[in-house]
Amino acid sequence: MTSTPPGRYVTKPLSGETWPDFAALVEANNGVWGGCWCIGFHPEGIGKDSTVAGNRDAKFAHVNRGTVHQVLVYLDGKCVGWCQYGPPAEVATIKNSKAYGKDLVDLPDWRIGCVFTGNGHRRHGVARAGLTAALS
């Protein structure tokens, strides 16, 4: 597989309209890390009683409430990755919070929670396209 030329990716926000595209990518990749559905960095996170179906429903509820900021990355009309970002209240759960907050005086306005690239599209600039869109 050759690299995808820059500019061939299209980005769109995760919304009710783009939910089916996001869901198709998650389902094609085993629910992402065994069923996370990209809910792990939301305030409720993933608890010991979480289920794949519950995570899916929770993510869909965030989409419907507008409490998620996530850029979907498309190639030839198919969603191939994403970048989740948002204010700390939305992206509340982070890994290694002790190290993260060590020299932090104030919480940032925004943070990146999750970047994901679907199988067969890694190392071709999908993550870069998602991050670039999120940062802009």
Side-chain angles (χ1 to χ4, degrees), residues 5-92:
R8 282 208 31 217
Y9 294 115
V10 173
T11 58
K12 299 178 186 179
L14 175 58
S15 67
E17 183 178 316
T18 59
W19 172 264
D21 303 333
F22 169 76
L25 178 59
V26 172
E27 290 166 357
N29 287 274
N30 191 32
V32 180
W33 298 292
C36 174
W37 276 85
C38 201
I39 198 73
F41 294 101
H42 285 285
E44 65 271 31
I46 296 179
K48 65 179 184 154
D49 297 326
S50 294
T51 65
V52 174
N55 293 342
R56 182 187 194 283
D57 293 346
K59 186 66 173 195
F60 191 58
H62 277 287
V63 170
N64 286 331
R65 285 192 308 267
T67 54
V68 63
H69 289 84
Q70 196 158 325
V71 174
L72 304 182
V73 181
Y74 290 80
L75 176 64
D76 299 328
K78 180 181 176 186
C79 183
V80 296
W82 68 71
C83 177
Q84 177 193 25
Y85 65 100
E90 274 182 25
V91 184

